Amino acid sequence: MSGVLSLLARWRADTTVRQTVRLLSAVGLAACVAWLINLQEPGWALITSVIVTQNSITDTISKGRDQLVGTLIGASVSIVPITLIAVLHWPLWLAFTLAFVPLAVLVSWKPEARMGVVTLMIAILFPTNNSPYLQPVERVLAILIGVGVSTLVTYVVLHEQARRDAFRCAAQTVRQIMDMLNKARAREVDWPRIQDMNDDCAASLRKVQAALEEARREHWRPLEERDPMLARLPQGLRQLQIDALVVARALLSLPPGAVAIDPHELATIRAGLQRGFTWIMERCESEAVARTGEDRNVAAGVISAMPSSSATGDPTIRFLVGILLADLKQLIALLGDDDTERPAETG
């Protein structure tokens, strides 16, 4: 049974599988709705569902908004050439050009409205046997179906992946921070390389923040109420990243042998920091699989076993390590004091 659950968890975490399921669901549902209301050209609803359905709720809403706004603009503008052709008997290309030129200017200024040009072309260049005014109306209706279905599917189908992504990227960020500190301590790299490593940490942290914003959209309740640990996670990681960069800079700036520390105390500091960072990574990785929760006593034990900043001899290093330890302990306490609502789930 555990093997099946593990396979299911990996299946849910796979971006390709998740997007495939969402896309198939969106197209199928759009086809059903178009068939139920007897839409004359259901293909446009299906095409819209394919375009709008994205990996994230944020991207889906953005795509859907662009599709809908552009279509409404194009449908509104198409009324003018349709009237000129049907009532005043203007030549088709003259009436079309009169509407197309200002719309092309608008699209050049606002690229997200490009669907307006497509809608105008469909309404004017692909006439039907029905009333010419029915074409833009049907086009808007098809877009509404495609956008609505895609948004619904993105919210409902495998929609809680953002939390897992956030903790998975958080574990990667902590791993990069620890690697940066280790290399600076051992003087294996120079300052430009440390800056590059810090840029990698910042990139991973941006992924955490993006996943956090996605998680905010997954539910009507504020994230701070239903998942306070996730809501505060980027702030704790960002502070840890800043501390690590400053400590790395200080370690590289000191001449060799400038910090006189007893080897036993140095080993204690190194082991304590290693244990703290490792615990955070393992905690984040476990939350990336499922909402497991954590006993506060475990986090308290990790914090109590960490070294004191007074163990270092150099006052500058002592001060900086003290800040690093304080923020590291604060992040451990955050991950250990889990007030997250954990429904019964297996994924």
Side-chain angles (χ1 to χ4, degrees):
M1 184 63 178
S2 60
V4 175
L5 297 179
S6 177
L7 180 61
L8 179 61
R10 290 196 299 270
W11 179 79
R12 285 173 58 92
D14 189 277
T15 305
T16 302
V17 174
R18 187 170 71 250
Q19 181 61 9
T20 300
V21 173
R22 283 179 171 178
L23 191 57
L24 292 175
S25 301
V27 172
L29 186 56
C32 291
V33 175
W35 175 75
L36 287 174
I37 67 173
N38 195 26
L39 197 65
Q40 295 298 315
E41 296 182 351
W44 294 114
L46 273 63
I47 292 173
T48 302
S49 66
V50 173
I51 295 174
V52 174
T53 305
Q54 303 293 315
N55 281 318
S56 67
I57 295 174
T58 303
D59 292 341
T60 297
I61 292 177
S62 177
K63 279 283 187 180
R65 181 182 62 246
D66 294 345
Q67 291 280 319
L68 186 57
V69 171
T71 301
L72 289 173
I73 292 174
S76 301
V77 172
S78 67
I79 300 298
V80 176
I82 289 175
T83 302
L84 292 176
I85 295 171
V87 178
L88 301 180
H89 305 291
W90 278 39
L92 184 148
W93 288 105
L94 180 59
F96 173 76
T97 303
L98 181 66
F100 176 78
V101 172
L103 198 56
V105 174
L106 174 64
V107 171
S108 300
W109 178 47
K110 294 289 186 179
E112 58 270 18
R114 63 173 58 90
M115 282 305 300
V117 176
V118 178
T119 302
L120 176 65
M121 290 181 174
I122 293 172
I124 304 302
L125 303 182
F126 299 90
T128 63
N129 296 326
N130 299 320
S131 170
Y133 293 102
L134 186 60
Q135 183 81 327
V137 174
E138 280 232 348
R139 173 65 174 161
V140 171
L141 185 57
I143 293 299
L144 284 173
I145 293 174
V147 171
V149 164
S150 298
T151 304
L152 177 64
V153 166
T154 307
Y155 267 101
V156 174
V157 179
L158 304 180
H159 72 290
E160 289 193 350
Q161 183 62 30
R163 188 179 195 275
R164 297 180 176 89
D165 291 341
F167 279 101
R168 188 176 296 108
C169 293
Q172 180 182 1
T173 303
V174 174
R175 186 175 293 106
Q176 292 169 332
I177 291 174
M178 185 172 64
D179 187 44
M180 180 172 63
L181 284 173
N182 288 336
K183 289 187 180 301
R185 176 190 54 80
R187 296 178 178 270
E188 296 178 355
V189 295
D190 55 7
W191 174 241
R193 176 55 185 156
I194 290 295
Q195 289 179 308
D196 292 339
M197 298 177 71
N198 182 67
D199 291 340
D200 293 338
C201 294
S204 298
L205 187 55
R206 284 193 294 270
K207 293 180 181 179
V208 176
Q209 187 63 45
L212 176 70
E213 295 304 320
E214 176 75 2
R216 290 186 184 279
R217 295 179 178 268
E218 289 182 342
H219 200 277
W220 61 272
R221 288 185 59 195
L223 187 65
E224 287 74 12
E225 294 182 7
R226 56 188 169 88
D227 201 340
M229 181 173 68
L230 176 60
R232 295 165 54 193
L233 180 63
Q235 180 181 359
L237 291 174
R238 187 178 300 108
Q239 191 59 55
L240 204 62
Q241 176 207 359
I242 296 173
D243 295 344
L245 181 63
V246 175
V247 171
R249 179 62 169 173
L251 291 174
L252 292 178
S253 300
L254 291 173
V259 183
I261 307 177
D262 180 82
H264 177 71
E265 293 180 346
L266 180 61
T268 302
I269 296 174
R270 190 183 308 166
L273 289 174
Q274 182 78 19
R275 181 180 180 185
F277 280 115
T278 301
W279 184 88
I280 292 176
M281 286 188 296
E282 292 175 350
R283 178 78 174 98
C284 290
E285 288 170 350
S286 66
E287 284 292 315
V289 175
R291 299 187 183 187
T292 58
E294 185 70 24
D295 189 349
R296 298 180 184 180
N297 295 330
V298 176
V302 175
I303 293 175
S304 62
M306 294 183 67
S308 170
S309 60
S310 61
T312 59
D314 185 270
T316 302
I317 299 298
R318 181 168 64 247
F319 174 74
L320 296 177
V321 170
I323 296 177
L324 175 63
L325 284 170
D327 291 330
L328 186 62
K329 292 175 182 178
Q330 186 174 4
L331 183 57
I332 293 173
L334 169 65
L335 295 174
D337 187 13
D338 184 13
D339 293 328
T340 299
E341 296 178 3
R342 291 184 294 275
E345 63 172 352
T346 59

mmCIF file of all heavy atoms in Angstrom, residues 19-35:
data_model
loop_
_atom_site.group_PDB
_atom_site.id
_atom_site.type_symbol
_atom_site.label_atom_id
_atom_site.label_comp_id
_atom_site.label_asym_id
_atom_site.label_seq_id
_atom_site.Cartn_x
_atom_site.Cartn_y
_atom_site.Cartn_z
ATOM 1 N N GLN A 19 -0.044 18.693 -15.810
ATOM 2 C CA GLN A 19 -0.544 19.556 -16.868
ATOM 3 C C GLN A 19 -1.327 18.768 -17.916
ATOM 4 O O GLN A 19 -2.308 19.267 -18.475
ATOM 5 C CB GLN A 19 0.628 20.299 -17.532
ATOM 6 C CG GLN A 19 0.239 21.255 -18.645
ATOM 7 C CD GLN A 19 -0.682 22.373 -18.188
ATOM 8 O OE1 GLN A 19 -0.909 22.553 -16.995
ATOM 9 N NE2 GLN A 19 -1.206 23.119 -19.133
ATOM 10 N N THR A 20 -0.911 17.527 -18.184
ATOM 11 C CA THR A 20 -1.644 16.691 -19.133
ATOM 12 C C THR A 20 -3.056 16.420 -18.645
ATOM 13 O O THR A 20 -4.033 16.530 -19.409
ATOM 14 C CB THR A 20 -0.905 15.354 -19.353
ATOM 15 O OG1 THR A 20 0.403 15.614 -19.864
ATOM 16 C CG2 THR A 20 -1.659 14.477 -20.332
ATOM 17 N N VAL A 21 -3.182 16.079 -17.371
ATOM 18 C CA VAL A 21 -4.502 15.811 -16.798
ATOM 19 C C VAL A 21 -5.365 17.062 -16.846
ATOM 20 O O VAL A 21 -6.552 17.021 -17.204
ATOM 21 C CB VAL A 21 -4.363 15.298 -15.358
ATOM 22 C CG1 VAL A 21 -5.734 15.171 -14.691
ATOM 23 C CG2 VAL A 21 -3.648 13.955 -15.337
ATOM 24 N N ARG A 22 -4.777 18.194 -16.502
ATOM 25 C CA ARG A 22 -5.534 19.443 -16.525
ATOM 26 C C ARG A 22 -5.990 19.791 -17.943
ATOM 27 O O ARG A 22 -7.135 20.201 -18.159
ATOM 28 C CB ARG A 22 -4.671 20.585 -15.972
ATOM 29 C CG ARG A 22 -4.533 20.593 -14.461
ATOM 30 C CD ARG A 22 -3.643 21.728 -14.030
ATOM 31 N NE ARG A 22 -3.637 21.911 -12.583
ATOM 32 C CZ ARG A 22 -2.909 22.819 -11.951
ATOM 33 N NH1 ARG A 22 -2.114 23.615 -12.638
ATOM 34 N NH2 ARG A 22 -2.961 22.928 -10.646
ATOM 35 N N LEU A 23 -5.095 19.638 -18.902
ATOM 36 C CA LEU A 23 -5.422 19.998 -20.281
ATOM 37 C C LEU A 23 -6.528 19.113 -20.839
ATOM 38 O O LEU A 23 -7.480 19.598 -21.470
ATOM 39 C CB LEU A 23 -4.167 19.898 -21.150
ATOM 40 C CG LEU A 23 -4.243 20.474 -22.566
ATOM 41 C CD1 LEU A 23 -4.646 21.939 -22.530
ATOM 42 C CD2 LEU A 23 -2.909 20.311 -23.273
ATOM 43 N N LEU A 24 -6.415 17.811 -20.601
ATOM 44 C CA LEU A 24 -7.445 16.896 -21.076
ATOM 45 C C LEU A 24 -8.792 17.184 -20.400
ATOM 46 O O LEU A 24 -9.849 17.134 -21.052
ATOM 47 C CB LEU A 24 -7.027 15.447 -20.806
ATOM 48 C CG LEU A 24 -5.831 14.921 -21.621
ATOM 49 C CD1 LEU A 24 -5.460 13.512 -21.168
ATOM 50 C CD2 LEU A 24 -6.138 14.936 -23.115
ATOM 51 N N SER A 25 -8.744 17.506 -19.123
ATOM 52 C CA SER A 25 -9.974 17.822 -18.396
ATOM 53 C C SER A 25 -10.618 19.093 -18.945
ATOM 54 O O SER A 25 -11.842 19.170 -19.118
ATOM 55 C CB SER A 25 -9.686 17.982 -16.905
ATOM 56 O OG SER A 25 -9.117 16.809 -16.364
ATOM 57 N N ALA A 26 -9.786 20.110 -19.214
ATOM 58 C CA ALA A 26 -10.304 21.382 -19.722
ATOM 59 C C ALA A 26 -10.932 21.218 -21.101
ATOM 60 O O ALA A 26 -12.036 21.729 -21.362
ATOM 61 C CB ALA A 26 -9.184 22.417 -19.768
ATOM 62 N N VAL A 27 -10.254 20.513 -21.990
ATOM 63 C CA VAL A 27 -10.783 20.314 -23.347
ATOM 64 C C VAL A 27 -12.074 19.504 -23.301
ATOM 65 O O VAL A 27 -13.068 19.825 -23.979
ATOM 66 C CB VAL A 27 -9.735 19.631 -24.240
ATOM 67 C CG1 VAL A 27 -10.340 19.248 -25.590
ATOM 68 C CG2 VAL A 27 -8.533 20.539 -24.449
ATOM 69 N N GLY A 28 -12.085 18.434 -22.513
ATOM 70 C CA GLY A 28 -13.285 17.614 -22.414
ATOM 71 C C GLY A 28 -14.463 18.368 -21.848
ATOM 72 O O GLY A 28 -15.591 18.275 -22.361
ATOM 73 N N LEU A 29 -14.225 19.153 -20.795
ATOM 74 C CA LEU A 29 -15.316 19.911 -20.190
ATOM 75 C C LEU A 29 -15.806 21.013 -21.124
ATOM 76 O O LEU A 29 -17.016 21.277 -21.214
ATOM 77 C CB LEU A 29 -14.848 20.502 -18.861
ATOM 78 C CG LEU A 29 -15.904 21.222 -18.016
ATOM 79 C CD1 LEU A 29 -17.081 20.288 -17.726
ATOM 80 C CD2 LEU A 29 -15.294 21.721 -16.710
ATOM 81 N N ALA A 30 -14.886 21.667 -21.819
ATOM 82 C CA ALA A 30 -15.281 22.703 -22.778
ATOM 83 C C ALA A 30 -16.136 22.121 -23.897
ATOM 84 O O ALA A 30 -17.124 22.730 -24.335
ATOM 85 C CB ALA A 30 -14.038 23.385 -23.357
ATOM 86 N N ALA A 31 -15.766 20.936 -24.366
ATOM 87 C CA ALA A 31 -16.553 20.271 -25.413
ATOM 88 C C ALA A 31 -17.958 19.953 -24.917
ATOM 89 O O ALA A 31 -18.949 20.123 -25.653
ATOM 90 C CB ALA A 31 -15.846 19.007 -25.876
ATOM 91 N N CYS A 32 -18.071 19.490 -23.684
ATOM 92 C CA CYS A 32 -19.383 19.160 -23.119
ATOM 93 C C CYS A 32 -20.262 20.404 -22.997
ATOM 94 O O CYS A 32 -21.451 20.379 -23.354
ATOM 95 C CB CYS A 32 -19.215 18.503 -21.750
ATOM 96 S SG CYS A 32 -18.488 16.852 -21.811
ATOM 97 N N VAL A 33 -19.685 21.489 -22.501
ATOM 98 C CA VAL A 33 -20.468 22.728 -22.340
ATOM 99 C C VAL A 33 -20.897 23.266 -23.697
ATOM 100 O O VAL A 33 -22.048 23.687 -23.883
ATOM 101 C CB VAL A 33 -19.645 23.779 -21.570
ATOM 102 C CG1 VAL A 33 -20.398 25.106 -21.513
ATOM 103 C CG2 VAL A 33 -19.337 23.288 -20.165
ATOM 104 N N ALA A 34 -19.967 23.272 -24.669
ATOM 105 C CA ALA A 34 -20.307 23.754 -26.008
ATOM 106 C C ALA A 34 -21.407 22.910 -26.641
ATOM 107 O O ALA A 34 -22.279 23.431 -27.345
ATOM 108 C CB ALA A 34 -19.055 23.752 -26.885
ATOM 109 N N TRP A 35 -21.390 21.602 -26.378
ATOM 110 C CA TRP A 35 -22.418 20.717 -26.920
ATOM 111 C C TRP A 35 -23.763 20.944 -26.235
ATOM 112 O O TRP A 35 -24.816 20.948 -26.883
ATOM 113 C CB TRP A 35 -21.975 19.266 -26.752
ATOM 114 C CG TRP A 35 -23.010 18.267 -27.177
ATOM 115 C CD1 TRP A 35 -23.366 17.938 -28.457
ATOM 116 C CD2 TRP A 35 -23.855 17.497 -26.316
ATOM 117 N NE1 TRP A 35 -24.376 16.999 -28.452
ATOM 118 C CE2 TRP A 35 -24.698 16.702 -27.140
ATOM 119 C CE3 TRP A 35 -23.967 17.393 -24.935
ATOM 120 C CZ2 TRP A 35 -25.631 15.834 -26.617
ATOM 121 C CZ3 TRP A 35 -24.901 16.513 -24.411
ATOM 122 C CH2 TRP A 35 -25.730 15.755 -25.251
#
